Amino acid sequence: MTNDVPLTSRSLPIALLRARERVMGPIRKMLADVGVTEQQWRVLRVLNEEGPQEPTHIADRACLLLPSLTRILQKLEAKGLILRRAHPCDKRRQIVDITAKGRQIIQDNIQVTVHLAEDLRTKLGPDRHEALLDLLNELRDLET
């Protein structure tokens, strides 16, 4: 093990941040036009894909901390994009669902994100794109 600090061009945390900005920059513009944040978009996407669920599951699937999700849900509810209701078996818990208005935002804008993803896939090449996703998922699953 060496004590040499890697150059920023070879630093994994910095490389991941730069890659995230490359991917999210164009999406951020679309989201600004729609009036939702990146985090709100992720919550809407999770609810649209997976249906009604508890906040803890949404936080996990949308890569959000639960306290942040609480504020995000309040804003989405105020915009009429989600509904919250008591859990049918335990009134202390809640179930969150996307509204028709929330689904419409996804439907109206999903093609932009699909196009941006396809553009990256084409530029990387399908094999390298899949390899990158596999490596990132493997990194996520490493034991700490």
Side-chain angles (χ1 to χ4, degrees):
M1 173 105 182
T2 177
N3 288 332
D4 293 338
V5 176
L7 297 174
T8 57
S9 63
R10 300 305 295 168
S11 166
L12 182 59
I14 291 174
L16 289 169
L17 288 168
R18 288 178 177 147
R20 182 183 192 283
E21 286 308 306
R22 170 61 181 86
V23 172
M24 288 307 300
I27 292 172
R28 220 176 267 124
K29 181 187 177 336
M30 179 269 301
L31 295 177
D33 293 344
V34 174
V36 296
T37 66
E38 293 174 48
Q39 297 83 1
Q40 291 170 350
W41 176 257
R42 292 197 315 257
V43 169
L44 292 174
R45 288 278 316 271
V46 166
L47 291 170
N48 192 58
E49 289 173 15
E50 300 180 12
Q53 55 199 280
E54 294 184 53
T56 51
H57 188 255
I58 296 168
D60 179 58
R61 300 293 294 140
C63 301
L64 294 165
L65 298 174
L66 203 49
S68 297
L69 179 65
T70 300
R71 290 185 301 276
I72 292 164
L73 293 178
Q74 289 169 347
K75 290 185 179 179
L76 288 171
E77 190 173 39
K79 293 179 179 185
L81 303 178
I82 63 154
L83 291 172
R84 293 190 280 184
R85 58 180 157 71
H87 190 283
C89 300
D90 183 348
K91 301 300 181 201
R92 296 169 295 177
R93 295 167 33 203
Q94 63 177 266
I95 299 294
V96 181
D97 198 2
I98 189 170
T99 64
K101 185 177 176 183
R103 277 192 191 83
Q104 192 64 51
I105 284 179
I106 298 290
Q107 185 177 342
D108 291 347
N109 296 282
I110 199 69
Q111 281 311 114
V112 173
T113 61
V114 168
H115 172 74
L116 293 169
E118 281 303 312
D119 184 53
L120 280 174
R121 183 180 179 85
T122 299
K123 287 176 179 172
L124 280 174
D127 292 340
R128 290 177 65 209
H129 183 268
E130 289 302 311
L132 176 60
L133 288 173
D134 290 343
L135 283 169
L136 290 170
N137 287 328
E138 191 176 320
L139 179 62
R140 176 201 63 211
D141 295 338
L142 286 176
E143 295 288 325
T144 55

